Amino acid sequence: MNRLHQLTYYFNHGAVAIAVSLFTLATVNAQTIIPIETAHNALVLQADAKKDLKTIFFGKKLANKEEYSQVSGQYKQTDDYSEQLNAAYTPSGSRNLVEPAISVTHADGNNSLDLSYVDHTVTAIDNNVNLLKIRLKDPAYNFEVTLFYKSFYKQDVIEQWTEIKHSEKGIVTLNKYASANLHLKSPHFWLNQYHGDWAKEMQPEQSELTHGIKTLDSKLGTRANLFQPSVFMISLDKPGEENEGNVLYGALEWSGNFKIDLELDYQNNLRIIAGMNNYASPYSLKPGELFTTPAFLYTFSNQGKGDASRKLQNWARNYKILDGKGSRLTLLNNWEATYFDFNEQKLADLLKDTKKLGVDLFLLDDGWFGNKYPRNDDHAALGDWQENKKKLPNGISSLVKEADNVGTKFGIWIEPEMVSPKSELYEKHPDWVVKQPNRPEHYFRNQLELDLSNPKVQDFVFSVVDGLFTKNPKLAYIKWDCNAVIYNAYSAHLKNQSHFYIDYVRGLYTVLQRIRAKYPTIPMMLCSGGGGRVDYGALQYFTEFWPSDNTDPLERIFMQWEYSYFYPAVSSSNHVTDWGKQSIKFRTDVAMMGKLGFDIVVSKLPEKELQFCQEAIKNYNDVKAIIWQGDQYRLADPRSGSVASMLYVNEEKTEGVIFNYQVNYRYGESSKYPVKLNGLDANKKYQIKEINLFPGTKSPIDGSKTYTGDFLMNIGFNPILNTDRTSVVLKFEEVK
């Protein structure tokens, strides 16, 4: 961008000055400086005299943009012999000595790659969102990479991805193809990562990063986040705390194999390289073909983990999760009430319980399909999506009609990516099944995947959903499950098996895009044996996700706490079930910290418990907008004390709700100290009242007293928790 174009840009974009400041600041000594600025942060790139594109700054933005060019001179570290340690997108095989972002084999067999800056353009999408494109090209080969930086000014979020193409005379093999390559400077780096398994999702671990490469990855194909989620935090200088510290959040928007390399180099700087996992996936790129990587998103805060999470939640509600600013349906699920053992009459009775309870929707779970091989357990019928005539002689349509008569909505469970070896679909289309020829089949939950890289399979999966809605136009909800990982990866459709893992996920997204094009507003839950597929690549097609099959409320407090760092409450489906030893009140209070549902036998509830649930749902309907759309503050960490406390406050800071739980039941444990609130207006006055009281109990909290926001944030408020009073929900409102 020359000086004339630069001035023209300033003039033409004056109206978006409040949006992301994304432009070429100066060209000094043939160095082009490109800052990507949001409300509080800046990522600053520089194309130097040799046309190498480098990262020269990342963190809280400077008041004077011209000073970014002086940042590098303040660091007196070991020499960068390759001059590529801080490359914005590191190629391999030329000068580079560290982990590359991209590695290729050219059509002539050469494995080297160099990427030189060509030009960049900026597009103002609206007054909050800008898109920067930077074009890089190999001087020796007709090979090009375009870096994309989509920045969200108010939310301090950046999405980054790449497009790769070439015009060489033959196939170029992409051996690695990251979405992003960040470079951070700090004396120390601390990693917060997550691990888990079924019913043990989102278990946190923290460690200081040492020299070498720490890799977070998955090779599961589907349910990629089962053992290791693709989200993480990096704290600079020292471990970040809830309300202080420099913290970077990262997440890959991809539902398949991922790889995140965290390399502390010999200069003591951190290089973050994130993208699809190149495991077993060298990609053969034809001349003129465009290879697009998924987006890697990140946000930075110098005010701790809580501030970073609120930025990410705000971004997700406004830009990523389907209908993130909309409403959600409370529901009653039949799974724990019946499992596979039900018939039309049982379901009709449960439908009436839905109305009796006061929720919006009845969800029919697994077991409603299959005739030649009935779905009476998890060993058969996946793929045979016709109603079981013995269980449902009048079909799904009669249940949808009955729900309408009762005055409720009807939803249904499906697992359309999967096939049971004992199914008609498997018998008719063995070539549609992901399995290695000449090798024994190995099952995960007694099932296999359908090959979504095959367009015919994509058509079939789409037809499963489309057929349900065509036959039942009033169907109001889909629970989309995915319970297996990929063993013996092989596609009978693909000629090049190294494309399989990538093309499977692309095929899944193609199906979901078709579904959303025809049914844009139908609520859908993303379920994957729990949190096995919780990522923003998938969540753009879903209204909510299922965090875990573990619904023990004590366990859920910890899980939901960790999920909330990356995902807003409006997206988290939380059900009241019979798991755990806690009271119905405790279970319901925990489930209210998100999108509330029930999975219980309503007819077996004692009178007072039913009365409590009915009143709790009314209370929830009163405060759900604050929970779903308000700012979330973690007040008392369950891992560091006997009390957990979570606050949601509306944008105007006039009302909110606080969930408090006793998580340590040892003798004498209680809320000995007041819990300090956050996010209030110090000058406003508030009243705090307890809601969700169990029938026949009286709150020890005086709801007539008033407190200033200053008092509540500096002194706090005691919810009066103890081993006899383990769950307390408080609603506060401004008093004028």
Side-chain angles (χ1 to χ4, degrees):
M1 189 184 290
N2 60 34
R3 179 61 61 182
L4 176 61
H5 287 166
Q6 185 177 338
L7 291 172
T8 303
Y9 176 83
Y10 293 158
F11 179 81
N12 290 341
H13 290 74
V16 295
I18 61 170
V20 186
S21 176
L22 249 169
F23 45 82
T24 304
L25 265 178
T27 302
V28 181
N29 298 325
Q31 293 183 347
T32 302
I33 303 220
I34 311 169
I36 305 165
E37 290 195 331
T38 59
H40 303 95
N41 304 328
L43 168 63
V44 185
L45 307 176
Q46 172 188 282
D48 63 18
K50 296 181 180 179
K51 296 188 180 298
D52 289 335
L53 184 68
K54 299 179 178 181
T55 302
I56 61 170
F57 179 80
F58 182 83
K60 183 181 178 182
K61 71 180 181 183
L62 301 178
N64 183 358
K65 299 176 180 62
E66 294 182 359
E67 291 187 312
Y68 288 129
S69 62
Q70 302 178 37
V71 171
S72 298
Q74 301 306 310
Y75 289 87
K76 307 301 179 183
Q77 297 173 293
T78 306
D79 287 342
D80 176 2
Y81 309 111
S82 66
E83 299 181 346
Q84 286 202 320
L85 283 179
N86 63 337
Y89 197 70
T90 314
S92 70
S94 52
R95 292 168 287 151
N96 178 42
L97 300 174
V98 289
E99 185 65 24
I102 183 170
S103 176
V104 308
T105 301
H106 293 283
D108 64 2
N110 193 301
N111 287 320
S112 69
L113 182 66
D114 202 0
L115 293 174
S116 297
Y117 168 81
V118 178
D119 56 31
H120 72 276
T121 59
V122 181
T123 303
I125 296 173
D126 58 34
N127 65 356
N128 187 57
V129 185
N130 273 29
L131 182 64
L132 166 67
K133 300 179 184 179
I134 304 177
R135 198 156 56 99
L136 308 175
K137 193 175 183 301
D138 190 320
Y141 286 88
N142 202 343
F143 185 95
E144 189 173 301
V145 174
T146 303
L147 307 182
F148 290 80
Y149 299 83
K150 190 176 185 179
S151 47
F152 301 81
Y153 186 82
K154 295 176 184 176
Q155 292 78 21
D156 285 322
V157 167
I158 296 175
E159 287 183 296
Q160 186 177 340
W161 68 94
T162 63
E163 286 184 354
I164 304 167
K165 63 180 180 179
H166 73 91
S167 298
E168 298 183 26
K169 295 179 179 179
I171 298 292
V172 171
T173 302
L174 305 182
N175 301 307
K176 189 173 183 182
Y177 28 80
S179 299
N181 184 173
L182 302 184
H183 184 268
L184 308 178
K185 287 183 177 289
S186 174
H188 300 277
F189 299 94
W190 293 80
L191 168 67
N192 280 65
Q193 65 182 94
Y194 295 89
H195 70 97
D197 196 350
W198 179 80
K200 295 185 289 186
E201 289 83 357
M202 288 298 283
Q203 304 299 310
E205 291 179 317
Q206 181 174 259
S207 60
E208 184 172 7
L209 288 170
T210 56
H211 291 87
I213 299 177
K214 170 77 173 184
T215 298
L216 311 177
D217 77 335
S218 174
K219 304 178 183 72
L220 303 183
T222 59
R223 277 186 88 177
N225 290 338
L226 177 62
F227 303 137
Q228 185 145 62
S230 54
V231 294
F232 64 94
M233 309 178 198
I234 298 292
S235 300
L236 286 69
D237 302 324
K238 60 182 180 180
E241 298 181 12
E242 191 66 29
N243 298 309
E244 63 176 276
N246 296 309
V247 184
L248 169 81
Y249 281 25
L252 187 67
E253 299 179 32
W254 181 246
S255 304
N257 296 342
F258 63 86
K259 186 178 184 183
I260 299 162
D261 292 317
L262 306 158
E263 181 175 23
L264 191 63
D265 66 24
Y266 64 84
Q267 283 191 329
N268 303 316
N269 300 320
L270 182 64
R271 306 175 67 253
I272 302 175
I273 300 171
M276 293 183 285
N277 201 335
N278 56 336
Y279 160 75
S281 300
Y283 197 90
S284 301
L285 192 66
K286 300 173 184 176
E289 180 183 358
L290 191 65
F291 184 92
T292 304
T293 69
F296 175 68
L297 72 93
Y298 46 97
T299 187
F300 174 81
S301 174
N302 68 334
Q303 298 178 44
K305 297 188 293 185
D307 181 60
S309 73
R310 286 185 288 278
K311 291 176 179 179
L312 195 51
Q313 290 176 0
N314 184 295
W315 169 83
R317 286 192 299 263
N318 282 280
Y319 294 101
K320 187 57 62 169
I321 293 171
L322 187 69
D323 196 25
K325 298 292 286 183
S327 188
R328 297 293 186 268
L329 297 168
T330 55
L331 61 82
L332 175 65
N333 192 6
N334 75 299
W335 180 243
E336 293 196 17
T338 66
Y339 295 100
F340 293 101
D341 183 20
F342 57 81
N343 55 35
E344 203 169 83
Q345 186 56 51
K346 276 189 180 181
L347 297 179
D349 291 339
L350 290 172
L351 276 168
K352 295 173 185 175
D353 287 340
T354 304
K355 188 67 174 178
K356 184 178 182 181
L357 189 62
V359 293
D360 303 316
L361 176 136
F362 175 79
L363 173 60
L364 174 59
D365 215 291
D366 196 356
W368 56 268
F369 50 93
N371 286 299
K372 182 178 180 180
Y373 303 106
R375 182 70 167 176
N376 294 324
D377 56 37
D378 64 3
H379 287 76
L382 288 174
D384 299 345
W385 299 103
Q386 70 277 94
E387 296 101 326
N388 180 277
K389 294 177 182 177
K390 185 176 180 181
K391 293 181 182 180
L392 305 175
N394 297 302
I396 296 296
S397 59
S398 67
L399 294 171
V400 176
K401 184 178 180 180
E402 179 63 22
D404 196 38
N405 292 337
V406 170
T408 189
K409 298 179 184 293
F410 189 88
I412 199 165
W413 177 98
I414 54 173
E415 194 173 7
E417 298 166 71
M418 300 294 162
V419 62
S420 300
K422 192 176 181 180
S423 69
E424 292 183 79
L425 183 66
Y426 184 97
E427 293 173 347
K428 293 176 181 176
H429 298 285
D431 57 315
W432 286 9
V433 180
V434 176
K435 61 191 181 87
Q436 286 278 356
N438 305 316
R439 294 191 187 277
E441 294 176 1
H442 190 67
Y443 306 130
F444 198 106
R445 206 194 180 213
N446 310 304
Q447 61 196 59
L448 296 166
E449 284 82 4
L450 293 173
D451 178 12
L452 277 173
S453 71
N454 186 337
K456 291 181 179 178
V457 176
Q458 295 171 23
D459 290 341
F460 169 77
V461 174
F462 173 77
S463 72
V464 172
V465 179
D466 189 42
L468 283 168
F469 284 111
T470 300
K471 295 175 184 176
N472 310 285
K474 288 192 175 182
L475 192 65
Y477 187 90
I478 293 287
K479 178 181 177 182
W480 182 300
D481 217 337
C482 172
N483 282 301
V485 302
I486 292 177
Y487 291 124
N488 290 338
Y490 181 84
S491 166
H493 167 72
L494 291 175
K495 293 181 180 179
N496 189 338
Q497 295 303 314
S498 67
H499 290 196
F500 172 72
Y501 284 119
I502 294 173
D503 286 353
Y504 182 94
V505 181
R506 286 177 171 174
L508 170 65
Y509 290 166
T510 296
V511 172
L512 292 171
Q513 287 162 8
R514 289 176 64 185
I515 290 170
R516 282 311 179 191
K518 190 168 183 180
Y519 306 102
T521 61
I522 295 295
M524 292 206 309
M525 180 203 293
L526 175 61
C527 184
S528 190
R533 189 191 261 171
V534 182
D535 65 84
Y536 282 116
L539 275 174
Q540 61 189 311
Y541 306 109
F542 292 83
T543 50
E544 58 219 62
F545 69 89
W546 183 237
S548 176
D549 284 346
N550 186 343
T551 53
D552 181 314
L554 188 59
E555 295 283 352
R556 272 299 190 106
I557 289 171
F558 291 83
M559 288 184 189
Q560 290 168 200
W561 186 278
E562 300 301 333
Y563 273 116
S564 73
Y565 282 115
F566 301 94
Y567 305 100
V570 71
S571 67
S572 180
S573 293
N574 309 327
H575 290 186
V576 180
T577 75
D578 290 330
W579 278 48
K581 300 178 181 179
Q582 291 79 17
S583 67
I584 190 75
K585 170 176 165 51
F586 192 100
R587 285 178 272 152
T588 304
D589 290 351
V590 171
M592 283 176 64
M593 293 193 298
K595 204 223 75 169
L596 177 64
F598 288 81
D599 203 333
I600 56 176
V601 184
V602 176
S603 61
K604 293 184 179 180
L605 287 176
E607 183 181 352
K608 285 189 175 181
E609 291 193 0
L610 175 60
Q611 183 183 344
F612 167 78
C613 290
Q614 292 168 332
E615 288 300 317
I617 291 167
K618 292 177 182 177
N619 288 330
Y620 180 73
N621 288 334
D622 184 44
V623 299
K624 64 187 180 184
I626 302 171
I627 297 169
W628 294 346
Q629 304 298 338
D631 289 326
Q632 184 179 44
Y633 293 87
R634 297 165 206 84
L635 306 180
D637 190 336
R639 284 188 167 82
S640 60
S642 299
V643 170
S645 186
M646 185 79 80
L647 176 150
Y648 303 84
V649 61
N650 67 355
E651 185 178 357
E652 297 77 21
K653 303 182 185 297
T654 57
E655 58 180 336
V657 58
I658 316 167
F659 295 93
N660 308 275
Y661 310 101
Q662 180 86 10
V663 295
N664 183 344
Y665 301 123
R666 297 191 68 184
Y667 178 77
E669 287 300 323
S670 63
S671 54
K672 298 181 176 70
Y673 301 95
V675 175
K676 291 183 180 180
L677 276 60
N678 205 339
L680 307 185
D681 185 327
N683 297 314
K684 292 184 186 294
K685 291 184 178 180
Y686 299 93
Q687 279 187 335
I688 299 178
K689 298 178 181 179
E690 183 172 0
I691 61 173
N692 274 25
L693 287 165
F694 195 79
T697 62
K698 185 178 180 181
S699 175
I701 292 170
D702 185 351
S704 65
K705 289 185 177 180
T706 61
Y707 309 85
T708 62
D710 176 61
F711 179 90
L712 293 172
M713 290 189 290
N714 288 288
I715 303 300
F717 186 87
N718 199 315
I720 314 178
L721 289 165
N722 53 55
T723 52
D724 294 319
R725 182 178 154 84
T726 58
S727 177
V728 174
V729 181
L730 303 171
K731 183 182 178 185
F732 62 87
E733 293 180 304
E734 180 187 6
V735 179
K736 294 184 178 179

